[in-house]
Amino acid sequence: VFERREGAADSLYGAFFDAAPNLQGMFRAPRATMGLRILAGLGQFVQAAHEPPVMRKHVEAIAFNHLDLDVTAPRVEIFREATMEVFDLELGALFGTRARMGLCAIMTYAGGAYIFARKEYASRIRILLRSWNTAAKKGEAVDQIDDLDSKSSEEEEEEEVAQEHVQADAMKSQEGTGKNPQLKVPTTFDEMFLFNAA
């Protein structure tokens, strides 16, 4: 048993990278910092294990922090087994079968949540990143976003005609109201996004 958290954190971190040295590139923080983060995450999960809604919030929060990492089932298994070895080695008989099964279940659940979050939210994250890039360019030449703006030329012509009618109606309604008739109404996703971002 460790006297300080830093010792336990370093032991966990060391066991993980001894088991899978090729995964060291996934972690960009210094060893001491990463070890403490791993230990803190495990602590949160264990403390919230008896309250499923709280546990879910903790797991989701950490899962969203891992969206940039390629978390896979084999990597989760490597991490889980390395952690179990440290607990077996350091706690010995104090780390009983029930404790081992419980910690295994918690870590498997968390790892599955990381994989699920990456799989389910990756496309949404890509859309947000593309939108952010569009807003950051502020009207410069922007690549078409295939997912959101894939229309045939006939559909585009119909939209242009409809837009002309909308603009004509807007001009008529603004006559005599003192409003700026030169206000450009956005007609595409990119224009609307830039309009709202301004």
Side-chain angles (χ1 to χ4, degrees):
V1 180
F2 296 99
E3 294 178 11
R4 297 174 45 137
R5 290 176 54 99
E6 290 81 9
D10 188 58
S11 182
L12 277 173
Y13 188 86
F16 178 57
F17 285 116
D18 287 345
N22 60 335
L23 299 181
Q24 286 184 2
M26 291 177 68
F27 297 100
R28 293 175 287 279
R31 181 180 177 121
T33 305
M34 280 310 306
L36 287 171
R37 285 182 187 172
I38 292 168
L39 190 62
L42 284 173
Q44 282 183 338
F45 298 162
V46 170
Q47 289 176 353
H50 66 284
E51 296 180 66
V54 175
M55 170 82 160
R56 181 179 178 187
K57 285 181 183 178
H58 288 309
V59 170
E60 284 179 348
I62 294 177
F64 282 112
N65 289 335
H66 288 80
L67 284 175
D68 62 328
L69 302 176
D70 188 20
V71 180
T72 61
R75 289 178 175 173
V76 169
E77 186 177 345
I78 290 169
F79 184 77
R80 184 187 63 223
E81 292 308 314
T83 304
M84 292 301 121
E85 287 176 16
V86 170
F87 276 79
D88 282 334
L89 180 67
E90 297 299 329
L91 296 175
L94 295 174
F95 191 58
T97 306
R98 289 179 62 194
R100 182 180 179 80
M101 288 175 52
L103 189 57
C104 269
I106 288 171
M107 293 182 74
T108 302
Y109 171 75
Y114 296 172
I115 294 168
F116 175 82
R118 181 174 170 85
K119 179 182 168 195
E120 289 297 313
Y121 299 113
S123 62
R124 295 177 187 179
I125 299 286
R126 278 194 295 274
I127 290 172
L128 288 173
L129 290 174
R130 287 179 185 166
S131 298
W132 181 255
N133 288 337
T134 300
K137 290 182 181 180
K138 297 282 185 190
E140 293 177 12
V142 178
D143 294 335
Q144 288 291 334
I145 300 173
D146 297 332
D147 298 342
L148 302 175
D149 195 23
S150 57
K151 299 176 184 164
S152 69
S153 59
E154 293 174 5
E155 290 175 327
E156 289 177 0
E157 288 176 18
E158 290 174 7
E159 282 188 9
E160 287 176 13
V161 170
Q163 187 60 34
E164 289 174 6
H165 291 296
V166 169
Q167 287 177 346
D169 291 342
M171 295 289 269
K172 289 178 186 175
S173 67
Q174 288 180 354
E175 290 176 2
T177 62
K179 292 187 178 177
N180 183 3
Q182 301 294 357
L183 181 65
K184 184 175 186 285
V185 178
T187 59
T188 66
F189 173 79
D190 291 339
E191 290 174 358
M192 181 59 80
F193 186 83
L194 291 171
F195 180 81
N196 288 333

